[in-house]
Amino acid sequence: MLHFKTLLIAAAALATTVRALPQITRKGRYLYNPDGSRFYIKGVAYQPQGQAANDPNNPFLEPSTFIDPLADSAGCTRDIPNLQQLGVNVIRVYSVDNTLNHDSCMSTLDQAGIYTMIDLSLPVNGSIDRSAPSWTTNLLDLYVKTIDVFSNYQNVLGYHIGNEVVITADGTGAAAFVKAAARDVKAYLKSKSSSALVGYAAVDASSDWLDPFANYLTCDPNGNGSGDTSIDLFGLNNYEWCGDASPSVYATKNGDFAGYSVAAYFSEYGCITSPPRLWTEVAALFSSPMTQIWSGGIAFSYFPAESGQGEFGMVTIDGSTVTKSADFNRLKTQYGQVTPPNSPSRDSASDSSYPSCPSQNSTLLASSTLPPTPNDAACNCLETKLSCIFSPPPGTNSTAISVINGQLLGTACGLLSTNGGNCNDIISNGTTGTYGRVSFCDAREKLSYVMSLYYETQNRNPAACNFGGNAKLNSGALTMSAASAAESCIANPSATFVPGSSSTISKSVKPTGTGGNSGGSVSLMDSIQSLGLVMGISTVGALWTLLT
Ligand SMILES: *[C@@H]1O[C@H](CO)[C@@H](O)[C@H](O)[C@H]1NC(C)=O
Ligand SMILES: *[C@@H]1O[C@H](CO)[C@@H](O)[C@H](O)[C@H]1NC(C)=O
Ligand SMILES: *[C@@H]1O[C@H](CO)[C@@H](O)[C@H](O)[C@H]1NC(C)=O
Ligand SMILES: *[C@@H]1O[C@H](CO)[C@@H](O)[C@H](O)[C@H]1NC(C)=O
Ligand SMILES: *[C@@H]1O[C@H](CO)[C@@H](O)[C@H](O)[C@H]1NC(C)=O
């Protein structure tokens, strides 16, 4: 009996000590294992290809749908042995559904020694819209909920707060919103005692704007050297090495990032334009001098991912059968040969410095005045006090709601401006550093606000709160003006705070008929300018932005 009992205890001990990967941390510009040795990302992208919306308003062919690979336990069971064969220690996952269960995949990955880099954004309305950027309650809530779900797992290396949000010099104003997202996500992780890294994945581009942009993401807007608004990990989606190139292809990028403040890596790599891919860049990336600058990279892509340039996938999948290509085997060989240097040691690595923000010029339009933290409680308060509320007819599906929302915003702002008003309160501008009082609320609340302003200009004539049957009077509201409601509910419009702190967030149920959040799937500025664009441009799936 005693013997049996001992066995049971031993078995129980074993069950609770199944492998749990240790948290990787950053010191200065390098990543470290707990024992102080350098950690390099030997990764592969792991996301089935979404459906690209065939839409003239989606010139980058960004996906409109996604499949969460970390919620597919059969798929993980099928693929993880292959990921182990490939020799990867990190997978990058571009879109996850925070309502699904990820226990099985995450624990199998953990046991296989594989970390995850999770992108928090989602296709269509789940990311900072580069054509009309804002940092809003619906996005912050999405990010927070995803972090809550993944904080249950030890093998989350970090989170990307955006992917290719900024893609041109004249789009760099959007960097202010990316930086605000970094600030709020970082504060939230800290409040949960999580040391998961806050990353951003950038399109590769001219150093003219990429360098100031990268520096801006690590700068301290207050000029006192704080890293509170800095990312931890700059990802570069880099496809410079094509065919059997030579390390000199990286000379410019190495120079650009030689003095960078925080860790950097290739958040995608694997050029397809000179097939077959030999993956000889792996040897360069994992040896000096690149290892002094970069912490590895993510090869694109495990799953089939076809573009006009060719096939990036390394396997084909038919049900439970996976066929590996020669491409897979070549990458496996290359990953198997790397022995990156274990220096500098953690003790001798310098801490980061967070310089003052670069001054604004034509290649960096972002202001060092950042948008505030989106405040759910304030927006919910506002919605209860507005007199005219966006309320599409029952049964309208969510896609249609987003479209109507965007179209009506243009209509309502137009009507308002011909009646002596304006939409300034809902507009944010990362270049001027001005953020309208209501600009951090979600798209539906913004529309209700503008509808209410218009209704007031019409002396509260009920006919002015109809908008084709998409608006209704809020019987619960007092006769307070929308502007006063905004001033009372959003008393401190530039406040920053730790998301989720109880004093600021109290999620209330939205009034019946409005059906909850609708995001910024509609480009605000485009709507206002009545350009007729109704699909926002999402920023998920770097491949699609890169290769067109
Ligand atoms: C930096 O300055 C800002 C505003 O001046 C202040 O709120 C913040 O606490 C300071 N941070 C540090 C680390 O000194
Ligand atoms: C803008 O400022 C950056 C420094 O942040 C500098 O590298 C760049 O050359 C400047 N661009 C122009 C056009 O002056
Ligand atoms: C949503 O409603 C619109 C307009 O009625 C319709 O065209 C569209 O097919 C619907 N979409 C879905 C997914 O049901
Ligand atoms: C922001 O303001 C600048 C300067 O007034 C203007 O040129 C730019 O178009 C504005 N951006 C947006 C997105 O409105
Ligand atoms: C995106 O839009 C859909 C449909 O309106 C909505 O259900 C969802 O909550 C939105 N997501 C975000 C992050 O705004």
Side-chain angles (χ1 to χ4, degrees), residues 66-98:
F66 71 94
I67 300 159
D68 179 347
L70 298 180
D72 177 3
S73 59
C76 288
T77 306
R78 175 196 66 206
D79 293 331
I80 288 170
N82 298 327
L83 298 173
Q84 283 183 289
Q85 269 181 31
L86 196 54
V88 301
N89 61 358
V90 178
I91 56 171
R92 177 176 175 194
V93 179
Y94 292 83
S95 310
V96 293
D97 181 340
N98 59 31

PDB file of all heavy atoms in Angstrom, residues 66-98:
ATOM      1  N   PHE A  66     -10.869  35.495 -40.516  1.00  0.00           N
ATOM      2  CA  PHE A  66      -9.709  34.779 -39.995  1.00  0.00           C
ATOM      3  C   PHE A  66     -10.128  33.498 -39.319  1.00  0.00           C
ATOM      4  O   PHE A  66     -11.281  33.339 -38.913  1.00  0.00           O
ATOM      5  CB  PHE A  66      -8.888  35.653 -39.038  1.00  0.00           C
ATOM      6  CG  PHE A  66      -9.564  35.917 -37.710  1.00  0.00           C
ATOM      7  CD1 PHE A  66      -9.305  35.112 -36.610  1.00  0.00           C
ATOM      8  CD2 PHE A  66     -10.443  36.980 -37.566  1.00  0.00           C
ATOM      9  CE1 PHE A  66      -9.924  35.359 -35.377  1.00  0.00           C
ATOM     10  CE2 PHE A  66     -11.059  37.230 -36.346  1.00  0.00           C
ATOM     11  CZ  PHE A  66     -10.801  36.417 -35.259  1.00  0.00           C
ATOM     12  N   ILE A  67      -9.170  32.579 -39.235  1.00  0.00           N
ATOM     13  CA  ILE A  67      -9.373  31.335 -38.498  1.00  0.00           C
ATOM     14  C   ILE A  67      -8.355  31.364 -37.370  1.00  0.00           C
ATOM     15  O   ILE A  67      -7.167  31.571 -37.624  1.00  0.00           O
ATOM     16  CB  ILE A  67      -9.102  30.118 -39.407  1.00  0.00           C
ATOM     17  CG1 ILE A  67     -10.057  30.131 -40.597  1.00  0.00           C
ATOM     18  CG2 ILE A  67      -9.185  28.820 -38.622  1.00  0.00           C
ATOM     19  CD1 ILE A  67      -9.579  29.319 -41.784  1.00  0.00           C
ATOM     20  N   ASP A  68      -8.822  31.223 -36.141  1.00  0.00           N
ATOM     21  CA  ASP A  68      -7.909  31.249 -34.995  1.00  0.00           C
ATOM     22  C   ASP A  68      -7.227  29.882 -34.883  1.00  0.00           C
ATOM     23  O   ASP A  68      -7.856  28.909 -34.470  1.00  0.00           O
ATOM     24  CB  ASP A  68      -8.717  31.570 -33.730  1.00  0.00           C
ATOM     25  CG  ASP A  68      -7.864  31.589 -32.477  1.00  0.00           C
ATOM     26  OD1 ASP A  68      -6.703  31.121 -32.525  1.00  0.00           O
ATOM     27  OD2 ASP A  68      -8.360  32.063 -31.438  1.00  0.00           O
ATOM     28  N   PRO A  69      -5.939  29.804 -35.209  1.00  0.00           N
ATOM     29  CA  PRO A  69      -5.286  28.489 -35.205  1.00  0.00           C
ATOM     30  C   PRO A  69      -5.036  27.964 -33.794  1.00  0.00           C
ATOM     31  O   PRO A  69      -4.848  26.760 -33.617  1.00  0.00           O
ATOM     32  CB  PRO A  69      -3.962  28.748 -35.929  1.00  0.00           C
ATOM     33  CG  PRO A  69      -3.663  30.183 -35.660  1.00  0.00           C
ATOM     34  CD  PRO A  69      -5.004  30.880 -35.577  1.00  0.00           C
ATOM     35  N   LEU A  70      -5.067  28.846 -32.805  1.00  0.00           N
ATOM     36  CA  LEU A  70      -4.798  28.402 -31.437  1.00  0.00           C
ATOM     37  C   LEU A  70      -6.057  27.895 -30.741  1.00  0.00           C
ATOM     38  O   LEU A  70      -6.025  27.496 -29.583  1.00  0.00           O
ATOM     39  CB  LEU A  70      -4.170  29.544 -30.621  1.00  0.00           C
ATOM     40  CG  LEU A  70      -2.819  30.039 -31.144  1.00  0.00           C
ATOM     41  CD1 LEU A  70      -2.289  31.160 -30.265  1.00  0.00           C
ATOM     42  CD2 LEU A  70      -1.804  28.901 -31.231  1.00  0.00           C
ATOM     43  N   ALA A  71      -7.189  27.945 -31.465  1.00  0.00           N
ATOM     44  CA  ALA A  71      -8.415  27.377 -30.919  1.00  0.00           C
ATOM     45  C   ALA A  71      -8.733  26.046 -31.607  1.00  0.00           C
ATOM     46  O   ALA A  71      -9.769  25.441 -31.345  1.00  0.00           O
ATOM     47  CB  ALA A  71      -9.567  28.358 -31.105  1.00  0.00           C
ATOM     48  N   ASP A  72      -7.849  25.601 -32.481  1.00  0.00           N
ATOM     49  CA  ASP A  72      -8.065  24.373 -33.248  1.00  0.00           C
ATOM     50  C   ASP A  72      -7.156  23.286 -32.680  1.00  0.00           C
ATOM     51  O   ASP A  72      -6.031  23.094 -33.136  1.00  0.00           O
ATOM     52  CB  ASP A  72      -7.750  24.662 -34.725  1.00  0.00           C
ATOM     53  CG  ASP A  72      -7.865  23.425 -35.606  1.00  0.00           C
ATOM     54  OD1 ASP A  72      -8.252  22.341 -35.097  1.00  0.00           O
ATOM     55  OD2 ASP A  72      -7.544  23.538 -36.804  1.00  0.00           O
ATOM     56  N   SER A  73      -7.661  22.582 -31.672  1.00  0.00           N
ATOM     57  CA  SER A  73      -6.762  21.650 -30.976  1.00  0.00           C
ATOM     58  C   SER A  73      -6.334  20.504 -31.894  1.00  0.00           C
ATOM     59  O   SER A  73      -5.182  20.059 -31.828  1.00  0.00           O
ATOM     60  CB  SER A  73      -7.397  21.135 -29.688  1.00  0.00           C
ATOM     61  OG  SER A  73      -8.603  20.479 -29.962  1.00  0.00           O
ATOM     62  N   ALA A  74      -7.224  20.054 -32.776  1.00  0.00           N
ATOM     63  CA  ALA A  74      -6.820  18.978 -33.694  1.00  0.00           C
ATOM     64  C   ALA A  74      -5.719  19.481 -34.629  1.00  0.00           C
ATOM     65  O   ALA A  74      -4.743  18.771 -34.911  1.00  0.00           O
ATOM     66  CB  ALA A  74      -8.031  18.490 -34.499  1.00  0.00           C
ATOM     67  N   GLY A  75      -5.873  20.703 -35.089  1.00  0.00           N
ATOM     68  CA  GLY A  75      -4.851  21.290 -35.959  1.00  0.00           C
ATOM     69  C   GLY A  75      -3.517  21.409 -35.235  1.00  0.00           C
ATOM     70  O   GLY A  75      -2.454  21.120 -35.793  1.00  0.00           O
ATOM     71  N   CYS A  76      -3.553  21.819 -33.972  1.00  0.00           N
ATOM     72  CA  CYS A  76      -2.310  21.952 -33.202  1.00  0.00           C
ATOM     73  C   CYS A  76      -1.650  20.593 -33.006  1.00  0.00           C
ATOM     74  O   CYS A  76      -0.436  20.446 -33.165  1.00  0.00           O
ATOM     75  CB  CYS A  76      -2.585  22.614 -31.850  1.00  0.00           C
ATOM     76  SG  CYS A  76      -2.972  24.371 -31.996  1.00  0.00           S
ATOM     77  N   THR A  77      -2.473  19.611 -32.658  1.00  0.00           N
ATOM     78  CA  THR A  77      -1.921  18.266 -32.462  1.00  0.00           C
ATOM     79  C   THR A  77      -1.259  17.765 -33.748  1.00  0.00           C
ATOM     80  O   THR A  77      -0.201  17.156 -33.724  1.00  0.00           O
ATOM     81  CB  THR A  77      -3.056  17.306 -32.047  1.00  0.00           C
ATOM     82  OG1 THR A  77      -3.703  17.864 -30.913  1.00  0.00           O
ATOM     83  CG2 THR A  77      -2.542  15.931 -31.728  1.00  0.00           C
ATOM     84  N   ARG A  78      -1.881  18.080 -34.858  1.00  0.00           N
ATOM     85  CA  ARG A  78      -1.344  17.689 -36.168  1.00  0.00           C
ATOM     86  C   ARG A  78      -0.028  18.425 -36.477  1.00  0.00           C
ATOM     87  O   ARG A  78       0.926  17.837 -36.971  1.00  0.00           O
ATOM     88  CB  ARG A  78      -2.406  18.035 -37.221  1.00  0.00           C
ATOM     89  CG  ARG A  78      -2.025  17.836 -38.666  1.00  0.00           C
ATOM     90  CD  ARG A  78      -3.011  18.576 -39.576  1.00  0.00           C
ATOM     91  NE  ARG A  78      -2.913  20.023 -39.388  1.00  0.00           N
ATOM     92  CZ  ARG A  78      -3.902  20.899 -39.617  1.00  0.00           C
ATOM     93  NH1 ARG A  78      -5.081  20.484 -40.036  1.00  0.00           N
ATOM     94  NH2 ARG A  78      -3.711  22.187 -39.413  1.00  0.00           N
ATOM     95  N   ASP A  79       0.006  19.731 -36.152  1.00  0.00           N
ATOM     96  CA  ASP A  79       1.112  20.571 -36.630  1.00  0.00           C
ATOM     97  C   ASP A  79       2.294  20.682 -35.685  1.00  0.00           C
ATOM     98  O   ASP A  79       3.427  20.913 -36.134  1.00  0.00           O
ATOM     99  CB  ASP A  79       0.592  21.999 -36.891  1.00  0.00           C
ATOM    100  CG  ASP A  79      -0.388  22.043 -38.058  1.00  0.00           C
ATOM    101  OD1 ASP A  79      -0.260  21.193 -38.975  1.00  0.00           O
ATOM    102  OD2 ASP A  79      -1.277  22.924 -38.063  1.00  0.00           O
ATOM    103  N   ILE A  80       2.062  20.565 -34.393  1.00  0.00           N
ATOM    104  CA  ILE A  80       3.149  20.877 -33.458  1.00  0.00           C
ATOM    105  C   ILE A  80       4.370  19.960 -33.637  1.00  0.00           C
ATOM    106  O   ILE A  80       5.505  20.443 -33.594  1.00  0.00           O
ATOM    107  CB  ILE A  80       2.617  20.959 -32.007  1.00  0.00           C
ATOM    108  CG1 ILE A  80       1.788  22.258 -31.893  1.00  0.00           C
ATOM    109  CG2 ILE A  80       3.749  20.965 -30.981  1.00  0.00           C
ATOM    110  CD1 ILE A  80       0.989  22.428 -30.621  1.00  0.00           C
ATOM    111  N   PRO A  81       4.167  18.661 -33.913  1.00  0.00           N
ATOM    112  CA  PRO A  81       5.372  17.850 -34.188  1.00  0.00           C
ATOM    113  C   PRO A  81       6.173  18.397 -35.375  1.00  0.00           C
ATOM    114  O   PRO A  81       7.402  18.351 -35.365  1.00  0.00           O
ATOM    115  CB  PRO A  81       4.785  16.465 -34.505  1.00  0.00           C
ATOM    116  CG  PRO A  81       3.466  16.446 -33.795  1.00  0.00           C
ATOM    117  CD  PRO A  81       2.942  17.854 -33.865  1.00  0.00           C
ATOM    118  N   ASN A  82       5.480  18.954 -36.350  1.00  0.00           N
ATOM    119  CA  ASN A  82       6.192  19.542 -37.492  1.00  0.00           C
ATOM    120  C   ASN A  82       6.932  20.809 -37.091  1.00  0.00           C
ATOM    121  O   ASN A  82       8.048  21.071 -37.558  1.00  0.00           O
ATOM    122  CB  ASN A  82       5.215  19.861 -38.629  1.00  0.00           C
ATOM    123  CG  ASN A  82       4.534  18.617 -39.154  1.00  0.00           C
ATOM    124  OD1 ASN A  82       5.134  17.542 -39.165  1.00  0.00           O
ATOM    125  ND2 ASN A  82       3.285  18.746 -39.564  1.00  0.00           N
ATOM    126  N   LEU A  83       6.291  21.605 -36.236  1.00  0.00           N
ATOM    127  CA  LEU A  83       6.948  22.829 -35.766  1.00  0.00           C
ATOM    128  C   LEU A  83       8.209  22.464 -34.982  1.00  0.00           C
ATOM    129  O   LEU A  83       9.245  23.122 -35.096  1.00  0.00           O
ATOM    130  CB  LEU A  83       5.997  23.651 -34.899  1.00  0.00           C
ATOM    131  CG  LEU A  83       4.726  24.160 -35.604  1.00  0.00           C
ATOM    132  CD1 LEU A  83       3.777  24.818 -34.602  1.00  0.00           C
ATOM    133  CD2 LEU A  83       5.067  25.146 -36.722  1.00  0.00           C
ATOM    134  N   GLN A  84       8.124  21.368 -34.220  1.00  0.00           N
ATOM    135  CA  GLN A  84       9.312  20.915 -33.475  1.00  0.00           C
ATOM    136  C   GLN A  84      10.406  20.453 -34.425  1.00  0.00           C
ATOM    137  O   GLN A  84      11.578  20.764 -34.244  1.00  0.00           O
ATOM    138  CB  GLN A  84       8.936  19.769 -32.528  1.00  0.00           C
ATOM    139  CG  GLN A  84       8.218  20.253 -31.280  1.00  0.00           C
ATOM    140  CD  GLN A  84       7.922  19.104 -30.344  1.00  0.00           C
ATOM    141  OE1 GLN A  84       7.053  18.275 -30.645  1.00  0.00           O
ATOM    142  NE2 GLN A  84       8.622  19.033 -29.221  1.00  0.00           N
ATOM    143  N   GLN A  85       9.995  19.722 -35.457  1.00  0.00           N
ATOM    144  CA  GLN A  85      10.984  19.281 -36.458  1.00  0.00           C
ATOM    145  C   GLN A  85      11.663  20.477 -37.115  1.00  0.00           C
ATOM    146  O   GLN A  85      12.852  20.452 -37.416  1.00  0.00           O
ATOM    147  CB  GLN A  85      10.282  18.485 -37.558  1.00  0.00           C
ATOM    148  CG  GLN A  85      10.204  17.016 -37.328  1.00  0.00           C
ATOM    149  CD  GLN A  85       9.510  16.342 -38.520  1.00  0.00           C
ATOM    150  OE1 GLN A  85       9.596  16.800 -39.659  1.00  0.00           O
ATOM    151  NE2 GLN A  85       8.839  15.253 -38.237  1.00  0.00           N
ATOM    152  N   LEU A  86      10.870  21.513 -37.349  1.00  0.00           N
ATOM    153  CA  LEU A  86      11.414  22.697 -38.000  1.00  0.00           C
ATOM    154  C   LEU A  86      12.420  23.398 -37.083  1.00  0.00           C
ATOM    155  O   LEU A  86      13.270  24.144 -37.550  1.00  0.00           O
ATOM    156  CB  LEU A  86      10.238  23.637 -38.334  1.00  0.00           C
ATOM    157  CG  LEU A  86      10.416  24.761 -39.330  1.00  0.00           C
ATOM    158  CD1 LEU A  86      10.958  24.271 -40.665  1.00  0.00           C
ATOM    159  CD2 LEU A  86       9.070  25.479 -39.545  1.00  0.00           C
ATOM    160  N   GLY A  87      12.319  23.124 -35.803  1.00  0.00           N
ATOM    161  CA  GLY A  87      13.281  23.680 -34.855  1.00  0.00           C
ATOM    162  C   GLY A  87      12.920  25.072 -34.375  1.00  0.00           C
ATOM    163  O   GLY A  87      13.791  25.831 -33.967  1.00  0.00           O
ATOM    164  N   VAL A  88      11.621  25.405 -34.420  1.00  0.00           N
ATOM    165  CA  VAL A  88      11.243  26.753 -33.996  1.00  0.00           C
ATOM    166  C   VAL A  88      10.969  26.806 -32.495  1.00  0.00           C
ATOM    167  O   VAL A  88      10.568  25.820 -31.883  1.00  0.00           O
ATOM    168  CB  VAL A  88      10.009  27.293 -34.772  1.00  0.00           C
ATOM    169  CG1 VAL A  88      10.279  27.319 -36.263  1.00  0.00           C
ATOM    170  CG2 VAL A  88       8.746  26.495 -34.464  1.00  0.00           C
ATOM    171  N   ASN A  89      11.208  27.971 -31.907  1.00  0.00           N
ATOM    172  CA  ASN A  89      10.871  28.178 -30.499  1.00  0.00           C
ATOM    173  C   ASN A  89       9.787  29.238 -30.323  1.00  0.00           C
ATOM    174  O   ASN A  89       9.374  29.521 -29.195  1.00  0.00           O
ATOM    175  CB  ASN A  89      12.111  28.530 -29.670  1.00  0.00           C
ATOM    176  CG  ASN A  89      12.773  29.812 -30.131  1.00  0.00           C
ATOM    177  OD1 ASN A  89      12.331  30.432 -31.100  1.00  0.00           O
ATOM    178  ND2 ASN A  89      13.848  30.211 -29.464  1.00  0.00           N
ATOM    179  N   VAL A  90       9.338  29.857 -31.432  1.00  0.00           N
ATOM    180  CA  VAL A  90       8.270  30.866 -31.375  1.00  0.00           C
ATOM    181  C   VAL A  90       7.402  30.714 -32.620  1.00  0.00           C
ATOM    182  O   VAL A  90       7.922  30.494 -33.722  1.00  0.00           O
ATOM    183  CB  VAL A  90       8.834  32.314 -31.351  1.00  0.00           C
ATOM    184  CG1 VAL A  90       7.703  33.346 -31.343  1.00  0.00           C
ATOM    185  CG2 VAL A  90       9.747  32.552 -30.149  1.00  0.00           C
ATOM    186  N   ILE A  91       6.088  30.838 -32.446  1.00  0.00           N
ATOM    187  CA  ILE A  91       5.215  31.020 -33.611  1.00  0.00           C
ATOM    188  C   ILE A  91       4.559  32.387 -33.489  1.00  0.00           C
ATOM    189  O   ILE A  91       4.291  32.861 -32.383  1.00  0.00           O
ATOM    190  CB  ILE A  91       4.136  29.911 -33.754  1.00  0.00           C
ATOM    191  CG1 ILE A  91       3.284  29.790 -32.494  1.00  0.00           C
ATOM    192  CG2 ILE A  91       4.779  28.585 -34.129  1.00  0.00           C
ATOM    193  CD1 ILE A  91       2.081  28.868 -32.647  1.00  0.00           C
ATOM    194  N   ARG A  92       4.339  33.008 -34.652  1.00  0.00           N
ATOM    195  CA  ARG A  92       3.602  34.272 -34.664  1.00  0.00           C
ATOM    196  C   ARG A  92       2.193  33.997 -35.162  1.00  0.00           C
ATOM    197  O   ARG A  92       2.012  33.393 -36.229  1.00  0.00           O
ATOM    198  CB  ARG A  92       4.283  35.296 -35.570  1.00  0.00           C
ATOM    199  CG  ARG A  92       3.489  36.597 -35.646  1.00  0.00           C
ATOM    200  CD  ARG A  92       4.162  37.692 -36.461  1.00  0.00           C
ATOM    201  NE  ARG A  92       3.253  38.842 -36.548  1.00  0.00           N
ATOM    202  CZ  ARG A  92       3.388  39.857 -37.390  1.00  0.00           C
ATOM    203  NH1 ARG A  92       4.425  39.898 -38.223  1.00  0.00           N
ATOM    204  NH2 ARG A  92       2.505  40.836 -37.406  1.00  0.00           N
ATOM    205  N   VAL A  93       1.207  34.444 -34.388  1.00  0.00           N
ATOM    206  CA  VAL A  93      -0.204  34.228 -34.732  1.00  0.00           C
ATOM    207  C   VAL A  93      -0.838  35.609 -34.900  1.00  0.00           C
ATOM    208  O   VAL A  93      -0.768  36.451 -34.013  1.00  0.00           O
ATOM    209  CB  VAL A  93      -0.901  33.412 -33.622  1.00  0.00           C
ATOM    210  CG1 VAL A  93      -2.360  33.201 -33.952  1.00  0.00           C
ATOM    211  CG2 VAL A  93      -0.201  32.067 -33.458  1.00  0.00           C
ATOM    212  N   TYR A  94      -1.458  35.839 -36.061  1.00  0.00           N
ATOM    213  CA  TYR A  94      -1.899  37.182 -36.427  1.00  0.00           C
ATOM    214  C   TYR A  94      -3.278  37.562 -35.915  1.00  0.00           C
ATOM    215  O   TYR A  94      -3.590  38.735 -35.788  1.00  0.00           O
ATOM    216  CB  TYR A  94      -1.908  37.333 -37.956  1.00  0.00           C
ATOM    217  CG  TYR A  94      -0.541  37.325 -38.586  1.00  0.00           C
ATOM    218  CD1 TYR A  94       0.107  36.125 -38.876  1.00  0.00           C
ATOM    219  CD2 TYR A  94       0.113  38.505 -38.888  1.00  0.00           C
ATOM    220  CE1 TYR A  94       1.363  36.119 -39.447  1.00  0.00           C
ATOM    221  CE2 TYR A  94       1.369  38.499 -39.470  1.00  0.00           C
ATOM    222  CZ  TYR A  94       1.988  37.306 -39.742  1.00  0.00           C
ATOM    223  OH  TYR A  94       3.234  37.290 -40.306  1.00  0.00           O
ATOM    224  N   SER A  95      -4.142  36.588 -35.694  1.00  0.00           N
ATOM    225  CA  SER A  95      -5.515  36.902 -35.275  1.00  0.00           C
ATOM    226  C   SER A  95      -6.032  35.786 -34.385  1.00  0.00           C
ATOM    227  O   SER A  95      -6.051  34.629 -34.798  1.00  0.00           O
ATOM    228  CB  SER A  95      -6.456  36.995 -36.488  1.00  0.00           C
ATOM    229  OG  SER A  95      -5.940  37.831 -37.480  1.00  0.00           O
ATOM    230  N   VAL A  96      -6.456  36.149 -33.192  1.00  0.00           N
ATOM    231  CA  VAL A  96      -7.051  35.160 -32.298  1.00  0.00           C
ATOM    232  C   VAL A  96      -8.435  35.634 -31.860  1.00  0.00           C
ATOM    233  O   VAL A  96      -8.711  36.829 -31.829  1.00  0.00           O
ATOM    234  CB  VAL A  96      -6.175  34.890 -31.058  1.00  0.00           C
ATOM    235  CG1 VAL A  96      -4.879  34.210 -31.457  1.00  0.00           C
ATOM    236  CG2 VAL A  96      -5.914  36.169 -30.266  1.00  0.00           C
ATOM    237  N   ASP A  97      -9.280  34.685 -31.539  1.00  0.00           N
ATOM    238  CA  ASP A  97     -10.652  34.973 -31.121  1.00  0.00           C
ATOM    239  C   ASP A  97     -10.726  34.777 -29.612  1.00  0.00           C
ATOM    240  O   ASP A  97     -10.670  33.648 -29.119  1.00  0.00           O
ATOM    241  CB  ASP A  97     -11.598  34.005 -31.856  1.00  0.00           C
ATOM    242  CG  ASP A  97     -13.063  34.249 -31.510  1.00  0.00           C
ATOM    243  OD1 ASP A  97     -13.339  34.878 -30.462  1.00  0.00           O
ATOM    244  OD2 ASP A  97     -13.928  33.787 -32.279  1.00  0.00           O
ATOM    245  N   ASN A  98     -10.863  35.897 -28.888  1.00  0.00           N
ATOM    246  CA  ASN A  98     -10.782  35.812 -27.427  1.00  0.00           C
ATOM    247  C   ASN A  98     -12.026  35.192 -26.786  1.00  0.00           C
ATOM    248  O   ASN A  98     -12.092  35.072 -25.568  1.00  0.00           O
ATOM    249  CB  ASN A  98     -10.438  37.179 -26.811  1.00  0.00           C
ATOM    250  CG  ASN A  98     -11.458  38.248 -27.164  1.00  0.00           C
ATOM    251  OD1 ASN A  98     -12.635  37.956 -27.346  1.00  0.00           O
ATOM    252  ND2 ASN A  98     -10.998  39.486 -27.240  1.00  0.00           N
TER     253      ASN A  98
END
